[in-house]
Amino acid sequence: MIGIAIGVTSVILLTSLGEGTRRYMVEQFSQFGTNIIAINPGKIDTGGIPGIFGGSTHKLTLDDSEALRRIPGIEDVVPFSFGMARVEAGGRGRSVFVYGITPEMDEVWRWTVRIGDFWPGGDPRQGFQQAVLGPKLKREIFSSENPLGKFVKIAGSRFRVVGVMESKGQMMGFDLDDAAFIPVTTAMRIFNQDELNEIDLTFAHGRKPEDVAEAIRLLLMERHGGKDDVTITTQAAMLETFGNIMNIITMAVGAIGGVSLLVGAIGILTMMWIAVGERTNEIGLIRSLGATRRQVELVFLTEAAVLAMLGGLLGIGAGLGLCALIRTAVPGLPVHTPAIFVFAAIAVSFLTGIASGVMPARRAARLDPVEALRAE
């Protein structure tokens, strides 16, 4: 029973953490909309970070991003580069991520400026010495002062603050509020980059993501000398990749829980086997009173199932208690226990009990009533 309780506890706890993480990731990705596509330099078919751990690489340029606008159905395009730099003003400063983007970021990433505005749009090759600050960075440097029109130094270059972003919180460990945003051309210059890290774009909702991705692939192949050397990721592909990872984790968790359940099942089988030997007289008596082999078998199967169910319920209680404790101790950690997990744990406990009770039950049912009554 204890083995089953431990197995169910571990499965409930780990699957709750996994499900909470899955929901958190889906929520994080969904906030950018379902019609977004990311393009990265390098071709990776099996996973990993494109252009870093393998695959051929080809520079993804601002000219590529401008060419993508010509594809029918493409709505907004954001060429993207980034790096770490110190942002400082008035004796205060901090090292943060600095993102090189275009003003279309608010449409593609659904992330708007709360105070002020972006720099003028148009040709992304045109650089401006203007910056938009994340709300946390603004608070750390300017406190409660209005930063609009004031100057900050980013990587030693002087920028005029033209806006403050709305709060976006954290995503996958990155504090999006503690960042600065500058024109992509300017970012590439100060970080000495000659290619983009990524191009993000949105397309009309009436178009299929696969069709848009194929059009992007063909256009970039044409521009890159016939080479298919970029990784195009749709929102559905992102979620599918993450879903595959979570499925592997779930299988690993299931295997861990399965070992504990197996140990628990062997324990119940052993205990019931011993019980048959100790209750031989009792079995002989109920058989002599008219009980059938089937009824004797059902008695022992029921006892095994009840023991396993008690272990399962104990494990569910412990698992839910640990989940509640984690939520209280670490509020930021996503933990979610779907009701189906609880019902599945009860069902698995019941089936484990039945499986472990079959052999002892058959042994009890096959005992001869006369011989059983004579046994000491």
Side-chain angles (χ1 to χ4, degrees):
M1 190 173 75
I2 297 299
I4 290 179
I6 292 173
V8 170
T9 300
S10 60
V11 170
I12 287 288
L13 178 61
L14 296 176
T15 52
S16 297
L17 288 170
E19 179 64 13
T21 304
R22 188 189 68 80
R23 289 182 174 229
Y24 171 78
M25 294 300 294
V26 170
E27 181 183 348
Q28 293 294 308
F29 282 121
S30 299
Q31 66 178 315
F32 297 110
T34 57
N35 63 328
I36 185 171
I37 288 178
I39 305 162
N40 297 92
K43 186 68 177 178
I44 297 294
D45 293 326
T46 56
I49 302 175
I52 294 181
F53 295 114
S56 62
T57 58
H58 194 288
K59 291 178 181 177
L60 202 56
T61 64
L62 287 172
D63 289 337
D64 288 332
S65 71
E66 288 302 287
L68 290 170
R69 297 178 188 276
R70 298 199 298 267
I71 297 176
I74 297 294
E75 293 182 334
D76 295 291
V77 179
V78 175
F80 169 56
S81 68
F82 72 94
M84 284 284 292
R86 183 168 178 80
V87 181
E88 53 191 340
R92 293 182 175 181
R94 54 198 289 113
S95 294
V96 298
F97 277 108
V98 177
Y99 298 97
I101 46 98
T102 62
E104 289 163 301
M105 181 185 108
D106 61 348
E107 296 292 338
V108 175
W109 295 356
R110 297 186 177 181
W111 194 3
T112 59
V113 177
R114 182 171 59 86
I115 302 172
D117 204 349
F118 282 114
W119 48 90
D123 189 350
R125 303 177 192 85
Q126 188 175 3
F128 296 94
Q129 293 300 110
Q130 298 180 353
V132 175
L133 306 181
K136 182 177 180 179
L137 178 61
K138 175 264 171 187
R139 188 169 58 252
E140 293 292 334
I141 294 180
F142 292 102
S143 187
S144 59
E145 294 180 46
N146 185 352
L148 299 187
K150 297 184 177 177
F151 289 90
V152 294
K153 279 191 174 181
I154 301 177
S157 298
R158 198 162 180 255
F159 288 79
R160 180 189 294 275
V161 178
V162 294
V164 178
M165 299 297 296
E166 66 172 355
S167 177
K168 203 70 171 178
Q170 293 193 359
M171 178 178 176
M172 301 178 68
F174 291 93
D175 189 348
L176 301 179
D177 293 346
D178 197 13
F181 304 85
I182 62 177
V184 62
T185 298
T186 309
M188 293 174 71
R189 177 175 53 78
I190 67 172
F191 293 127
N192 195 28
Q193 297 172 342
D194 58 357
E195 63 177 327
L196 299 169
N197 296 106
E198 184 173 304
I199 297 175
D200 293 337
L201 58 83
T202 56
F203 55 92
H205 285 283
R207 298 207 59 187
K208 292 182 179 179
E210 310 84 51
D211 296 340
V212 178
E214 180 62 13
I216 293 170
R217 189 181 68 81
L218 293 175
L219 185 142
L220 291 179
M221 280 182 64
E222 180 183 344
R223 292 184 53 82
H224 294 181
K227 292 184 178 179
D228 184 10
D229 57 0
V230 297
T231 298
I232 303 169
T233 310
T234 64
Q235 183 81 313
M238 292 181 195
L239 295 176
E240 183 182 357
T241 301
F242 180 72
N244 291 336
I245 295 171
M246 293 308 300
N247 287 338
I248 293 172
I249 294 173
T250 301
M251 289 174 63
V253 169
I256 294 171
V259 171
S260 298
L261 288 174
L262 179 62
V263 172
I266 292 173
I268 291 177
L269 187 152
T270 304
M271 189 174 65
M272 295 302 297
W273 192 269
I274 295 172
V276 171
E278 293 177 344
R279 294 162 61 185
T280 302
N281 289 114
E282 180 187 335
I283 295 169
L285 179 60
I286 60 176
R287 285 295 312 278
S288 64
L289 291 175
T292 64
R293 291 179 184 272
R294 181 63 178 165
Q295 287 173 326
V296 172
E297 196 173 45
L298 281 176
V299 167
F300 281 88
L301 278 177
T302 303
E303 289 184 10
V306 168
L307 281 173
M309 291 280 286
L310 286 175
L313 292 173
L314 182 63
I316 290 171
L320 293 178
L322 286 172
C323 289
L325 187 63
I326 291 173
R327 288 191 197 95
T328 304
V330 191
L333 188 66
V335 181
H336 181 79
T337 309
I340 191 170
F341 286 5
V342 176
F343 290 120
I346 294 173
V348 169
S349 301
F350 175 76
L351 293 175
T352 302
I354 293 294
S356 59
V358 168
M359 289 178 64
R362 287 183 177 176
R363 180 191 176 200
R366 288 171 183 167
L367 288 175
D368 182 82
V370 177
E371 295 298 325
L373 285 171
R374 286 178 180 169
E376 293 183 357

